[in-house]
Every structure is written in C-alpha cells, then in structure tokens.
C-alpha cells in the first residue's frame, strides 16, 4: 500500500481510514489494548484541535502519526521505555491461516510468535521504525515526517533494527531460521 504524498479533505475523511492503522501502532507502542485505545483517542482529539494548522495537500498520515508518537512519548516522560510486559497473552494476535499440512501451519505459527517476540524485545525507537516501514508500509519520507528525523536516520535505524531482530531470532533456542527476517 503506497503512501499518498498529498491529502485534502475534512478531518473525518482523512482520519477515519487511518484509525485501524493508528490503533495497530498504538497497541505495539503501549503493549496494552486499553492504553492503545486511549492513545488513539487522545491523539485524534489533539489532531482535531490542531487541524487548522494542518496544511492541506501535505501528507496527513505522517502528520497524525507524529501527533500520536509525540503524545505517546509525552505520556511516558520519566518512564523507562525499555520496560516491556511479557506476561500479556497473545489473544489479540490473529491465528495464521492454515495452508498445507499441519506441520506447515505449526511452523508458520511458530515463526509469527518468534517474530512478534523479537519485535517486542526491541527498544522503542527500533520497534516503531520496523512497524511504520514493514507493517504500515510507510515510505521512508513519510516515516521521516512522522518521526521528525532525517531520512538517513530512518534508513540507519531500520537497518540496525532489522539486524537486531535477525540476531534475536537466530539466537532463539530450538527455532528455525525465520524466512521473513532475511528480507
């Protein structure tokens, strides 16, 4: 899904298609469903109040992602960003589709769980880069705009984040090498 470079319309027209994606990122950032809902809600309220400052014709999704990221970081001021709860059940994660044999389904499920676990272990600045690029499929420019960092920093962090994930996945006991980590 390619990122649009210019967006025009009302706040509702621009925001509604992004709500699921905003929640997805918020869920990964907060590691809590209720807190993620609150983060999206607070971010949308801030965006609505500041919609007059949005320049029509620019990348709306990068603008609102930046508001959400800043809201999240502000809510975490003074807290350690590396604290991640590993006690949460993975009930919100959809099961992979069963294709082929039960063995292939089991391996696909294991790969998904291993990748999710490795992603959760990443520091926040690496996790958000991978989520925006590989999950939300945002362009480097859109990520740069959303995070307020240069494109070179986006590429550098993405490279280091992917390397860290590969190292974590390769070091897991009894785990097959994940197919998707070699991209």
């Amino acid at each position: 899904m390619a990122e649009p470079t210019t967006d025009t319309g009302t706040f509702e027209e621009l925001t509604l298609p992004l709500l699921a994606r905003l929640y997805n990122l918020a869920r990964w950032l907060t590691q809590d469903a209720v807190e993620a809902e609150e983060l999206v809600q607070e971010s949308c309220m801030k965006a609505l109040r500041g919609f007059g400052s949005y320049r029509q014709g620019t990348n709306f999704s990068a603008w609102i992602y930046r508001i959400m990221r800043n809201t999240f970081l502000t809510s975490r001021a003074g807290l350690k960003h590396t604290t991640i709860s590993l006690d949460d059940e993975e009930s919100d994660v959809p099961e992979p589709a069963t294709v082929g044999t039960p063995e292939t389904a089991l391996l696909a499920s294991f790969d998904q769980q291993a990748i999710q676990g490795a992603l959760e272990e990443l520091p926040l600045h690496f996790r958000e880069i991978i989520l925006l690029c590989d999950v939300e499929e945002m362009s480097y420019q859109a990520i740069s705009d959303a995070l307020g960092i240069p494109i070179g920093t986006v590429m550098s962090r993405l490279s280091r984040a992917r390397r860290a994930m590969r190292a974590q996945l390769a070091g897991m006991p009894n785990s097959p090498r994940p197919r998707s980590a070699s991209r």
Side-chain angles (χ1 to χ4, degrees):
M1 186 184 313
E3 276 300 305
T5 55
T6 60
D7 295 319
T8 57
T10 66
F11 180 78
E12 293 81 14
E13 291 170 341
L14 296 172
T15 306
L16 287 176
L18 297 175
L19 285 178
R21 293 172 59 198
L22 288 168
Y23 175 77
N24 184 41
L25 180 61
R27 180 72 169 93
W28 277 103
L29 292 174
T30 63
Q31 300 293 304
D32 180 76
V34 173
E35 193 176 345
E37 289 173 4
E38 291 172 359
L39 177 60
V40 171
Q41 193 171 48
E42 184 177 350
S43 300
C44 286
M45 290 302 298
K46 285 181 178 183
L48 179 59
R49 283 193 298 268
F51 191 62
S53 69
Y54 169 69
R55 291 188 329 242
Q56 291 283 328
T58 61
N59 190 334
F60 181 79
S61 63
W63 182 76
I64 199 165
Y65 272 100
R66 186 172 206 172
I67 290 171
M68 188 171 74
R69 178 180 187 260
N70 290 341
T71 301
F72 172 73
L73 292 176
T74 300
S75 74
R76 296 286 196 234
L79 299 177
K80 292 183 179 178
H81 294 293
T82 57
T83 303
I84 298 172
S85 173
L86 297 177
D87 297 331
D88 292 341
E89 291 294 321
E90 297 179 14
S91 60
D92 293 339
V93 178
E95 292 296 319
T98 305
V99 180
T101 67
E103 292 81 8
T104 59
L106 178 63
L107 286 174
S109 173
F110 181 80
D111 284 350
Q112 182 182 12
Q113 291 171 354
I115 290 169
Q116 182 175 351
L119 184 59
E120 288 174 356
E121 291 294 321
L122 291 177
L124 176 64
H125 64 281
F126 284 166
R127 188 169 59 230
E128 71 185 351
I129 287 284
I130 288 201
L131 291 170
L132 291 175
C133 183
D134 295 336
V135 176
E136 296 300 328
E137 298 178 345
M138 292 176 74
S139 68
Y140 290 167
Q141 182 62 56
I143 296 170
S144 171
D145 293 343
L147 301 182
I149 58 176
I151 287 180
T153 303
V154 169
M155 293 186 294
S156 172
R157 281 189 190 168
L158 184 59
S159 174
R160 288 185 280 147
R162 287 176 176 163
R163 190 176 325 123
M165 277 197 65
R166 277 192 298 272
Q168 286 178 352
L169 290 167
M172 297 182 87
N174 301 322
S175 67
R177 288 219 167 215
R179 294 175 297 276
S180 59
S182 61
R183 283 192 221 174

